[in-house]
Amino acid sequence: MACVPLTSLMNTIQFEFLQPSPPVILDEDTSHMMNSFYRNLGFLLAFLEEFEKKPGNDDAAIKDLEAKIRDFAFSAEDEVQSNLAKIYLEAADKEMILSQNLQQVDEDAEMMLFLNLLQVHALPSDHESGSSHELISKIEDRMVGRRSELNTIINQLIRRPSIEHKVISILGMGGIGKTTLARRVYEEPLVVSHFDIRAWTTVSQEVNVRHILCNLLWSISRGMNTEGSTDDLAHKLRQRLMGKRYLIVVDDVWETGVWDHLARCFPESYGSAVLVTSRLEEIADYTTSGASNLHNLHFLDSNESWDLFCSHIFWKQPLCSKFNRIQRNIVDKCGGLPLAIVVAAGLLSRLSKVEELEKIEKEMSHLASTDIGEQCSRILIVSYNHLPHHLKACFLYLGVFSGHSEIPVKKLVRLWIAEGFVEKSVRDKELEEVGVGYLQDLISRSLVQIDKLKCDGQIKTCRMHHLLRVLCVRQARNEKLLYVEDDGFDMCNSSSKEACSGACRWLSFRSPKPENFDLCNSSVNKARSVLCLHNDEMPMVNDPKLVRFTLLRVLDLTSPLYNKGMYMSFENLSNLVLLEYLAFMSNRSLGFEGLDIALSKNQKLHTLVVWHSAAGWRPNYSLLPSTIWESPQLRHLEFRNCFRVEPPGIVKENLQSLYWLSIFHCTEEVISKIPNIKTLGIFCEGRLISDNAVSCNGASSLENLCHLNQLEALTIEAEYAIPKCISLPRINAFPGNLRELKLSKTYLPWKDIAAIAMLPGLEVLKLKMDAFYGPEWKPTEGGFQRLKFLLLINTDLKIWNAFDDEFPILEHLVLKHCENLEGIPTVFFNVTALKSIDLERCGQALSSCAKNIQQEQLDYGNNELKVLVRNPQTTYKQLTFYKGRHRKVVGGSCDSDSDEEPSQDFGEWLKLIDG
C-alpha cells in the first residue's frame, strides 16, 4: 500500500524542510525542488484516494498499477531518508546530496502520476465521492439480543453453585459476540461481589501457555512475581485458587491440549466456575460440564440487527426514506453477525448523501457470499478501503502488536508519531493530541475496541477483534510492510522468512525463540521499526555488532534479551540518527555502554523509555548518560526510579513528560529548563528533613513548581514511608493547570490535605500507600470543588469527615485496603454526580455504608450509582456516618447474595478504576 510510505514521507519532508524554521535549511533552488516533489507526492496520494473509490479495482491491471505506485513510494522514501541520514551524520554537503537525487525522484513522481492518469481514464467512471462529516459515536460496548443468555449464565454462576467447579462454555463463530457476552458477565456487580477471585485470560491461536498463566496470576494480583518455569507458575496459580470461590474466564480457546494444561490449575472448590469461549464445537463439548452449561450463540434476527446498528450510529437530522431503506439493506447483508453490523455502522456513520450510500451498497452486493464468515471478512475490507490514507497507515501498524494483548494508547500514539503517520502541522494541537484523535476515529468506525479507560475518562488501552487483526496483518504483509515472528501465527514459511523480513518496514518479534532470524542480517537494513515484545528472555543476535539500521525510526527492546553470554552495547547503534523512539530493558546483556555516544549523534529522538530486569541487575548501571538531553526533539523521558539522571543544562522546550526528577533537583534553575512539561514524576530519596533546615534538604524546592504553567499531572513518590521526608508546597505554589495528583509513601499528616483540597482545577486525586498518616481526615470548607475521581489505598485512616459543600461533582470513589476506616461522609448521600463506589479489602461496615448511599440516591431518582464490593473483610464493624464534626451510628451488613436484579451498564465505569 503506497499510502503508508507516501504519508510518512510527506510528513517527513514537511517537518524537516518546509515548516517555518525547519531543522534542515535549504538554498533557494533545492527548496524549490523539494516543494515541487512534495506537491507531486500530494497529487499521487490524492490520485490514490480517488482511484481506490472506483469500481473494478480488483482487476489484475489495477493491482499491478497499485504495486508500481507502492514500489515507487518505497524507493522514494528510502532515497530521501537515506540522504537525510547522511546530512545528520554530516557525511556530505546537504545541497549537493539532495540536488543530485531530488530532481530524478521528482521526475519519477511526475512520470508515475502521468501514467496513472492515462490508465485511470480507461477505467469506468463512477459517482464523484462526496465529502463526509463527523458523527458522534459513543465508545462503550453495546450488547443486543443476548439478554436471555446473560441472565442464564449469571444464574448458573450465582444461584446454582456446585460442589465441584463448573465449566460454562459460550460457542459461536468469530464476531458473533462471545467475548462481549463473557465480559458483561465478568463485570456484573453481583458476579464481582459473589466471587473471592476473578481472573481473565485470552488464549487465541497464538498459544503461549506461560503467557496465559502470567495473565491469570497478574489478573489475581497485579505485580505478582512470575519468575520460574511454566510448571512453577501453574503450581502457584493452583495454590492461589485453593480454598477460594473463583471465576476464571478463558477466552478464545482453539485447542483441547491447552485446556488440558489449564484445567489442572483449577482446583475443585464449592461455587467456583470457569467460563470458556470458543468458535469450535469440539472445544465447547470437551470443556463444558453438562449440556445446560453450553450456550450456542445464534445470529441476530432482522430487528435485533437493526437495533444494534442504530445503537452505534447517530444522525443529526431525520433521514429520508430512501436513505433509511438503503441502510436497512446493508444491515441485512451483514447476516446477523454483530461484528459486521458494528463495523458497517462505523462506515455508514460518515456518509451524508444517498449517492455515497448507494455506492457502499453496490460494493456490498459485489462482494456477496453465501458463507457468513467470508461475507463478514469482505465487509471489513470495504470498511478498511474507505479509510483516509493516514488512518490506513495507523490501522496497519496495529499489526505489530500481539492479537490478545492490550495495546497501551500512550505507546501506540508515540509509535505512530515516530513512524511519521501523525501530521505535524495541525495548528494549536500537540502531536499526541492529534494521534489520539486518529485512534478515536478508528474506534468510532468500530475497527478498534476500547479496553480500559483512565480515571479521567481518556482511553488507556485498546485492542483489536481477532477478525480485524487477521485483516490488518494480512493487508500489511501483502503490502510488504510487516514481518511478524510469532508462535502459532503463520506469517511465512521458513524458506521465505529472510525474503519477507528483508522487504518489510516493520519487524515484530513475539516469539521467545525466533527461528532462523538474525538482526545482523543485512537484508533488514531498510526496516523502520524493530520491536521485541515478548515477555520472556529471547535470543536475538549471534554477534554483538547489530546491523546498521541507518533508516530505523523505532527500536523497542523491552523484552528481556540475551546474547548467548555476550554483553551488548549501544556503541554500534551510533548511526541511528533518524531514530525517534527508543525503549529498552537494561539487564545482564544490555546496559548503558555506548548509549551516550548513540544519543549524542541523534537529533530526532522524541521518546526514550528505560526499564530494568531484576535478574542480573547491576547497581553501577543506574546512572543514565547526560547526553540524553542533547536530543533537541525529546518529548518523553521515562525510566524506573532506580535510575538517576542529571537534570538538563539547557532549556527543553519540547519536553512533555518526565519520570523521574529527584526532589533535590527541583530548584528554580532546573524547573526553568522544562517550562512546557505536562506530566512529571518527582522522586524523594530517603533523606530526612530537619525541623530547622527545611530549605537545605530540597523539600522546599517544591515551591518552584508554580513556574510550570503547563503541568497537568503530577506524581510524588518517596523511597520510604517515613515522617518529614517531604512537605507539600503552599496552595499558591501548586501549578495553576494541575488536573491530576498522585502521592505514594509521602507519609504526610492529614492536616496537609487542606492545601490539596483548595486546588481549583484538580479532577483526579490518588492517595496510594502511606500517602498520609494519622487516624482522622478533617474537613476543609469548600474543598475539592472540581474533583471527579478519588482513590485511597493502604491507609490507616479511621475517621473521615467532610463538610456538606465538599466533593460536589465527585463521580468515582475508590477505597482499597482501608480496613480501619469506619465510615464514609454523609455528604456523598447528596452528591448527585456520583457514578460509582468501588471497595476492595474493606470492612463490611463500609460495604453497607456504600449500599445505603446507593439506596438513598436511588430514592432521589439517581439510578446511575453503581457499587462494587471486592474481597470484603469478613469482620463486622459498626457502621458510622460522618457529617461535619458530628457522627451518627447506623447498623447494617452487606449481603452479596441478595435478589437484586443485576445491573446491565456496569462495564464502562469498572474500567475507570484501573490506573
Side-chain angles (χ1 to χ4, degrees):
M1 172 161 304
C3 70
V4 175
L6 284 176
T7 300
S8 173
L9 180 55
M10 290 185 68
N11 282 333
T12 296
I13 291 174
Q14 197 281 330
F15 179 78
E16 297 288 350
F17 306 108
L18 303 183
Q19 67 164 321
S21 303
V24 181
I25 301 175
L26 306 175
D27 62 26
E28 185 175 350
D29 291 340
T30 310
S31 179
H32 177 76
M33 282 192 292
M34 189 65 75
N35 274 283
S36 173
F37 181 47
Y38 183 81
R39 285 194 301 271
N40 283 330
L41 291 175
F43 291 146
L44 267 177
L45 198 58
F47 161 78
L48 273 177
E49 195 163 40
E50 291 303 315
F51 166 75
E52 289 173 353
K53 295 176 182 177
K54 293 182 177 295
N57 59 3
D58 283 331
D59 185 83
I62 303 305
K63 292 296 183 184
D64 181 64
L65 181 61
E66 285 183 311
K68 289 180 179 178
I69 298 175
R70 180 196 64 212
D71 292 342
F72 162 76
F74 279 150
S75 176
E77 184 186 34
D78 288 346
E79 192 70 36
V80 171
Q81 293 186 350
S82 295
N83 290 332
L84 188 60
K86 292 177 183 177
I87 291 171
Y88 279 116
L89 284 170
E90 299 178 349
D93 177 76
K94 60 179 179 292
E95 275 77 22
M96 182 180 68
I97 293 176
L98 292 172
S99 61
Q100 288 176 348
N101 298 283
L102 198 55
Q103 185 172 358
Q104 182 60 51
V105 176
D106 190 26
E107 290 175 0
D108 291 343
E110 290 179 346
M111 181 58 69
M112 181 65 64
L113 184 61
F114 175 70
L115 293 175
N116 291 340
L117 291 174
L118 286 180
Q119 187 158 354
V120 165
H121 281 302
L123 299 175
S125 62
D126 193 19
H127 298 291
E128 291 296 322
S129 61
S131 61
S132 62
H133 63 278
E134 295 290 327
L135 295 177
I136 301 172
S137 174
K138 293 185 178 180
I139 63 174
E140 64 267 17
D141 291 334
R142 303 166 180 85
M143 189 176 68
V144 172
R146 307 290 188 216
R147 183 71 62 190
S148 174
E149 290 94 337
L150 176 67
N151 290 333
T152 299
I153 294 174
I154 290 175
N155 282 331
Q156 289 174 333
L157 291 175
I158 293 179
R159 296 184 174 89
R160 302 178 200 167
S162 59
I163 297 177
E164 300 178 347
H165 75 257
K166 67 175 65 174
V167 181
I168 300 172
S169 293
I170 302 175
L171 172 67
M173 70 169 292
I176 205 166
K178 303 182 297 297
T179 302
T180 299
L181 175 59
R183 178 67 65 181
R184 290 298 299 270
V185 171
Y186 185 76
E187 294 177 345
E188 278 298 327
L190 285 181
V191 172
V192 173
S193 300
H194 181 75
F195 290 97
D196 301 320
I197 291 177
R198 294 178 310 132
W200 180 296
T201 189
T202 301
V203 178
S204 78
Q205 287 176 286
E206 306 164 37
V207 178
N208 183 325
V209 174
R210 179 182 175 82
H211 182 79
I212 294 168
L213 294 173
C214 288
N215 276 345
L216 288 171
L217 288 169
W218 289 335
S219 189
I220 295 171
S221 178
R222 178 163 297 183
M224 183 184 298
N225 184 355
T226 54
E227 294 181 356
S229 66
T230 300
D231 289 340
D232 292 337
L233 295 178
H235 177 71
K236 182 179 293 187
L237 176 60
R238 184 175 177 85
Q239 290 298 111
R240 291 303 297 260
L241 299 178
M242 194 76 71
K244 302 289 186 181
R245 184 163 60 187
Y246 59 83
L247 171 63
I248 305 294
V249 177
V250 185
D251 186 32
D252 200 17
V253 179
W254 288 76
E255 300 176 10
T256 56
V258 177
W259 171 253
D260 289 338
H261 194 104
L262 292 177
R264 293 193 292 267
C265 303
F266 306 143
E268 301 299 344
S269 179
Y270 177 79
S272 295
V274 181
L275 183 60
V276 176
T277 76
S278 179
R279 63 186 69 184
L280 302 177
E281 187 172 359
E282 63 177 285
I283 299 296
D285 292 337
Y286 187 80
T287 59
T288 307
S289 53
S292 62
N293 291 326
L294 195 159
H295 303 271
N296 195 340
L297 299 190
H298 57 79
F299 294 109
L300 302 181
D301 61 30
S302 179
N303 290 332
E304 291 171 337
S305 296
W306 183 249
D307 289 343
L308 179 61
F309 175 82
C310 292
S311 73
H312 279 79
I313 201 166
F314 175 81
W315 297 284
K316 291 184 178 178
Q317 56 188 9
L319 303 177
C320 67
S321 58
K322 186 175 183 180
F323 204 98
N324 198 44
R325 177 180 57 78
I326 297 173
Q327 286 193 328
R328 280 189 174 270
N329 289 341
I330 292 174
V331 172
D332 288 341
K333 293 180 188 301
C334 294
L337 191 65
L339 177 64
I341 296 168
V342 168
V343 172
L347 172 61
L348 301 186
S349 67
R350 292 175 145 63
L351 305 182
S352 58
K353 296 181 180 179
V354 172
E355 293 80 6
E356 296 173 328
L357 208 59
E358 287 177 330
K359 184 176 178 181
I360 298 297
E361 184 184 26
K362 186 184 300 183
E363 291 184 51
M364 295 287 194
S365 299
H366 177 69
L367 296 172
S369 170
T370 56
D371 181 80
I372 187 62
E374 181 65 20
Q375 177 69 2
C376 176
S377 177
R378 290 175 175 178
I379 291 171
L380 301 184
I381 291 174
V382 171
S383 184
Y384 166 76
N385 286 339
H386 281 262
L387 285 174
H389 282 113
H390 67 282
L391 289 186
K392 283 183 178 177
C394 294
F395 176 76
L396 293 181
Y397 197 81
L398 288 162
V400 304
F401 293 96
S402 174
H404 50 69
S405 66
E406 300 176 358
I407 303 173
V409 170
K410 180 172 69 173
K411 177 173 184 173
L412 176 63
V413 169
R414 292 175 183 178
L415 292 173
W416 283 348
I417 293 171
E419 276 285 350
F421 303 151
V422 178
E423 187 177 354
K424 300 183 179 182
S425 59
V426 179
R427 182 174 298 177
D428 299 328
K429 283 191 175 183
E430 297 286 355
L431 287 169
E432 292 77 9
E433 187 180 354
V434 177
V436 169
Y438 289 179
L439 176 62
Q440 290 172 335
D441 204 344
L442 289 172
I443 290 170
S444 69
R445 297 168 188 266
S446 297
L447 296 176
V448 177
Q449 301 170 338
I450 290 177
D451 185 65
K452 289 188 178 71
L453 297 175
K454 296 181 181 179
C455 51
D456 59 359
Q458 298 182 42
I459 308 168
K460 180 178 182 180
T461 59
C462 61
R463 63 171 65 245
M464 296 182 74
H465 190 279
H466 173 74
L467 294 181
L468 283 164
R469 180 178 176 271
V470 169
L471 167 67
C472 170
V473 172
R474 184 174 64 239
Q475 289 292 121
R477 192 176 71 179
N478 289 344
E479 298 298 335
K480 301 181 181 179
L481 290 167
L482 175 64
Y483 172 83
V484 173
E485 180 85 48
D486 202 342
D487 285 344
F489 205 87
D490 183 19
M491 299 308 302
C492 21
N493 59 49
S494 58
S495 63
S496 63
K497 279 187 177 183
E498 183 174 334
C500 286
S501 60
C504 290
R505 268 20 189 189
W506 313 325
L507 310 179
S508 178
F509 302 97
R510 301 195 295 268
S511 169
K513 296 179 180 179
E515 298 178 3
N516 304 324
F517 195 87
D518 188 351
L519 283 180
C520 297
N521 194 320
S522 60
S523 66
V524 300
N525 62 359
K526 291 184 178 181
R528 300 310 197 274
S529 288
V530 174
L531 303 101
C532 303
L533 303 176
H534 200 272
N535 290 326
D536 293 333
E537 287 190 333
M538 48 198 301
M540 291 303 301
V541 294
N542 297 320
D543 188 277
K545 294 183 179 179
L546 294 178
V547 69
R548 295 180 67 84
F549 287 109
T550 309
L551 304 180
L552 201 65
R553 289 169 171 253
V554 171
L555 181 58
D556 188 329
L557 302 176
T558 47
S559 284
L561 305 180
Y562 70 91
N563 184 33
K564 296 187 176 180
M566 292 183 289
Y567 188 76
M568 289 172 53
S569 168
F570 283 100
E571 189 171 351
N572 294 296
L573 301 181
S574 59
N575 63 322
L576 300 184
V577 291
L578 299 183
L579 193 68
E580 297 194 21
Y581 181 101
L582 174 60
F584 68 93
M585 178 175 288
S586 178
N587 62 1
R588 64 177 179 267
S589 296
L590 181 63
F592 300 149
E593 277 79 353
L595 183 60
D596 56 339
I597 299 174
L599 293 176
S600 65
K601 294 184 179 182
N602 185 286
Q603 300 292 302
K604 311 299 298 174
L605 193 71
H606 71 68
T607 298
L608 176 60
V609 179
V610 185
W611 296 71
H612 80 84
S613 171
W617 173 241
R618 302 180 181 180
N620 55 309
Y621 294 154
S622 61
L623 186 62
L624 292 168
S626 58
T627 49
I628 284 173
W629 302 114
E630 295 180 16
S631 300
Q633 304 299 328
L634 190 64
R635 301 176 67 82
H636 308 286
L637 175 58
E638 299 176 1
F639 49 87
R640 289 302 192 199
N641 57 29
C642 58
F643 297 117
R644 299 290 182 270
V645 64
E646 291 299 316
I650 56 176
V651 176
K652 305 299 298 179
E653 293 278 356
N654 295 315
L655 195 64
Q656 302 283 303
S657 62
L658 172 60
Y659 285 98
W660 297 79
L661 181 66
S662 170
I663 192 172
F664 302 103
H665 289 153
C666 292
T667 63
E668 184 173 358
E669 179 184 2
V670 172
I671 293 297
S672 67
K673 298 296 193 298
I674 52 173
N676 298 315
I677 199 82
K678 290 187 174 181
T679 303
L680 177 63
I682 296 176
F683 186 68
C684 181
E685 300 169 65
R687 304 186 216 176
L688 293 176
I689 297 175
S690 60
D691 293 330
N692 57 357
V694 174
S695 61
C696 72
N697 53 52
S700 64
S701 59
L702 287 180
E703 302 284 338
N704 296 313
L705 295 179
C706 63
H707 301 296
L708 299 178
N709 297 322
Q710 306 300 317
L711 188 64
E712 297 177 356
L714 174 64
T715 298
I716 304 176
E717 181 173 319
E719 186 174 6
Y720 306 109
I722 54 178
K724 298 185 179 181
C725 180
I726 191 172
S727 63
L728 293 177
R730 303 184 311 274
I731 178 62
N732 59 357
F734 276 98
N737 285 326
L738 193 65
R739 296 189 304 106
E740 179 175 344
L741 178 62
K742 184 191 302 182
L743 302 177
S744 179
K745 293 187 283 188
T746 47
Y747 213 64
L748 297 162
W750 276 108
K751 63 181 180 62
D752 288 0
I753 197 75
I756 297 174
M758 302 310 295
L759 293 176
L762 191 66
E763 297 179 1
V764 176
L765 177 60
K766 299 181 181 180
L767 305 179
K768 295 197 169 184
M769 179 181 294
D770 295 319
F772 286 84
Y773 71 91
E776 184 176 1
W777 177 353
K778 296 182 179 180
T780 303
E781 189 170 356
F784 303 104
Q785 292 299 295
R786 298 292 300 277
L787 197 68
K788 296 181 180 179
F789 183 96
L790 175 60
L791 167 69
L792 276 74
I793 301 180
N794 277 70
T795 175
D796 59 356
L797 184 66
K798 292 183 178 180
I799 302 170
W800 180 10
N801 294 307
F803 287 131
D804 289 340
D805 61 353
E806 292 188 80
F807 307 100
I809 62 171
L810 190 77
E811 297 178 356
H812 304 284
L813 173 63
V814 183
L815 305 175
K816 297 184 178 182
H817 296 272
C818 299
E819 293 89 348
N820 297 324
L821 188 58
E822 298 174 357
I824 302 174
T826 55
V827 64
F828 292 107
F829 279 90
N830 304 315
V831 178
T832 57
L834 198 59
K835 296 179 181 178
S836 70
I837 301 177
D838 174 28
L839 306 178
E840 181 177 342
R841 296 285 181 182
C842 296
Q844 289 191 5
L846 282 187
S847 301
S848 297
C849 182
K851 291 285 187 180
N852 287 341
I853 293 174
Q854 182 185 39
Q855 183 58 52
E856 185 148 335
Q857 293 254 358
L858 188 62
D859 293 342
Y860 285 119
N862 176 20
N863 57 2
E864 297 295 321
L865 176 58
K866 313 299 179 185
V867 173
L868 174 65
V869 180
R870 295 182 290 174
N871 306 113
Q873 296 293 311
T874 56
T875 303
Y876 179 85
K877 291 186 178 181
Q878 193 176 43
L879 175 63
T880 309
F881 290 110
Y882 299 101
K883 185 171 183 179
R885 299 185 181 279
H886 304 284
R887 67 178 77 175
K888 60 179 180 180
V889 179
V890 183
S893 63
C894 177
D895 180 11
S896 61
D897 294 317
S898 69
D899 293 327
E900 178 187 352
E901 189 68 16
S903 169
Q904 306 300 329
D905 300 304
F906 198 64
E908 284 310 307
W909 77 263
L910 180 62
K911 297 176 183 178
L912 297 174
I913 65 174
D914 190 357

